[in-house]
Amino acid sequence: MTTTTLTRPAISVKGLRKSFGDKLVLDGIDLTVAEGTIFSLLGPNGAGKTTMVQILSTLITADGGEMHVAGHALAKDPNAVRAAIGVTGQFSAVDNLLTGEENLRLMADLHHLGQPEGRRRAAALLAQFDLVDAAKKPVATYSGGMRRRLDLAMTLVGNPRLIFLDEPTSGLDPRSRRNMWQIIRHLVAEGVTIFLTTQQLEEADQLADRIAVLDHGRVVAEGTPEELKRRIAGGHIRLQFADAGALDSATHIFGALSRDDDALSLQVPSDGNVRSLKAVLDQLDRESIEVDSLSIHTPDLDDVFFAVTGHTNTQKDSQQ
């Protein structure tokens, strides 16, 4: 996870509202994204994530609110916003009939870079994203991970300082996903700001400096991953015993609320810190109770997500 001392906002949103017909999709959203950080937006199906990204990236207009993106007022100067940002959608925008190099040079032409600069920029990005060997091959022959890397490389042709990433690792195998995470971390280390939407709660936990959870058009929780997890009860130490006698003795000390006779185990509430674990072990030692094994469970982002939305995990956004 990245750390930063930068405080100037890359995105500032106050009172964002959006409706489609009589359906209120975004209901007074306030949020701030600091420069040079990764901000992750989570939410269940239909929560409004896609709509927010579409508004902030100038694809659709808001019904109300004050928004600044990359230092520009969104409503007054959308062209300046477009010039400063990059957008990598959930579905690859590359042309399958062109080679990787041709895709990048086409994007360079769209940015009016000129042929020499376009070639230089394409070559640099092919090297940066480990696509040199595949540069002359049609994109139709690329693996999913290669396509996603090329898609992100195309977003970077114009040197954006703020990038909207929508499901950047969707459909990738674990190795390709972690490679993409490394690329994202490297971009942020160079000062790029990332606005990330993802269904992968582990991805948000691994990457994000701050997370906002959107539900029914409102931000229902916001903070760092650790701050969000500390708000949720349910942490415990799971004690496993070799025989029923030891389980009975431990139950006498800690109570039988989370006793499992079949598994010879007991769950003791804990926030997962060292002091809490030491207190439990000291009690067991004083009573000479032998523990076969133990494990520590602390709330994760799945627990946070369920607690604040009532959903077990994120689902693909509809276009609301």
Side-chain angles (χ1 to χ4, degrees):
M1 187 176 298
T2 58
T3 57
T4 181
T5 58
L6 295 173
T7 57
R8 192 181 81 174
I11 298 174
S12 175
V13 175
K14 295 181 180 179
L16 171 57
R17 300 188 310 278
K18 181 66 178 179
S19 298
F20 293 99
D22 59 358
K23 183 176 182 180
L24 181 62
V25 179
L26 296 174
D27 184 13
I29 301 295
D30 296 332
L31 61 83
T32 301
V33 179
E35 276 192 339
T37 66
I38 301 175
F39 185 95
S40 184
L41 186 65
L42 305 178
N45 179 37
K49 301 191 304 295
T50 296
T51 297
M52 185 179 294
V53 171
Q54 289 176 333
I55 290 171
L56 294 178
S57 59
T58 77
L59 295 177
I60 61 176
T61 58
D63 295 335
E66 182 180 341
M67 289 146 284
H68 287 78
V69 178
H72 305 284
L74 188 65
K76 295 180 180 178
D77 203 353
N79 288 333
V81 172
R82 294 185 193 108
I85 67 172
V87 181
T88 300
Q90 179 179 349
F91 301 104
S92 177
V94 299
D95 190 319
N96 287 329
L97 300 180
L98 300 179
T99 68
E101 182 180 28
E102 287 169 342
N103 268 281
L104 287 169
R105 290 177 61 180
L106 175 61
M107 187 60 67
D109 289 342
L110 293 174
H111 281 279
H112 308 291
L113 295 186
Q115 286 193 359
E117 176 61 16
R119 290 194 186 96
R120 186 201 66 77
R121 187 71 179 136
L125 288 166
L126 288 167
Q128 179 180 348
F129 285 84
D130 194 23
L131 292 170
V132 173
D133 291 342
K136 304 294 185 182
K137 297 177 182 178
V139 172
T141 67
Y142 284 21
S143 68
M146 293 167 66
R147 291 172 63 89
R148 292 305 281 168
R149 296 204 306 273
L150 178 61
D151 206 16
L152 183 52
M154 291 174 66
T155 301
L156 293 175
V157 168
N159 281 315
R161 306 311 294 164
L162 168 61
I163 300 176
F164 293 93
L165 291 182
D166 185 14
E167 305 288 350
T169 63
S170 177
L172 297 187
D173 61 78
R175 175 177 293 181
S176 297
R177 181 179 302 120
R178 291 186 180 276
N179 287 341
M180 183 62 73
W181 290 356
Q182 287 301 109
I183 290 171
I184 292 170
R185 291 187 181 107
H186 179 70
L187 290 172
V188 176
E190 293 183 335
V192 176
T193 304
I194 302 292
F195 190 100
L196 170 71
T197 63
T198 179
Q199 294 183 65
Q200 305 280 344
L201 297 184
E202 180 193 7
E203 184 163 87
D205 202 358
Q206 287 285 330
L207 294 177
D209 296 289
R210 291 189 68 81
I211 293 171
V213 182
L214 198 63
D215 193 31
H216 294 97
R218 290 179 174 271
V219 173
V220 293
E222 185 178 354
T224 68
E226 293 306 315
E227 286 171 347
L228 293 177
K229 286 182 280 189
R230 283 198 297 267
R231 298 180 190 177
I232 306 302
H236 62 265
I237 300 169
R238 185 177 185 272
L239 304 172
Q240 183 89 35
F241 301 94
D243 56 65
L247 174 61
D248 289 339
S249 297
T251 301
H252 180 72
I253 298 173
F254 300 112
L257 187 61
S258 298
R259 172 174 171 151
D260 186 335
D261 288 283
D262 292 332
L264 294 176
S265 69
L266 189 69
Q267 291 183 7
V268 180
S270 168
D271 59 9
N273 65 30
V274 173
R275 182 178 297 178
S276 174
L277 175 60
K278 185 177 184 300
V280 170
L281 294 178
D282 286 346
Q283 284 183 283
L284 292 168
D285 186 56
R286 283 194 296 269
E287 300 296 328
S288 299
I289 301 172
E290 292 290 333
V291 179
D292 200 36
S293 65
L294 66 83
S295 58
I296 300 173
H297 173 83
T298 54
D300 56 23
L301 284 185
D302 287 283
D303 299 316
V304 173
F305 193 87
F306 180 77
V308 300
T309 70
H311 297 260
T312 55
N313 51 57
T314 51
Q315 302 294 327
K316 292 183 184 295
D317 255 351
S318 63
Q319 293 304 308
Q320 281 93 14

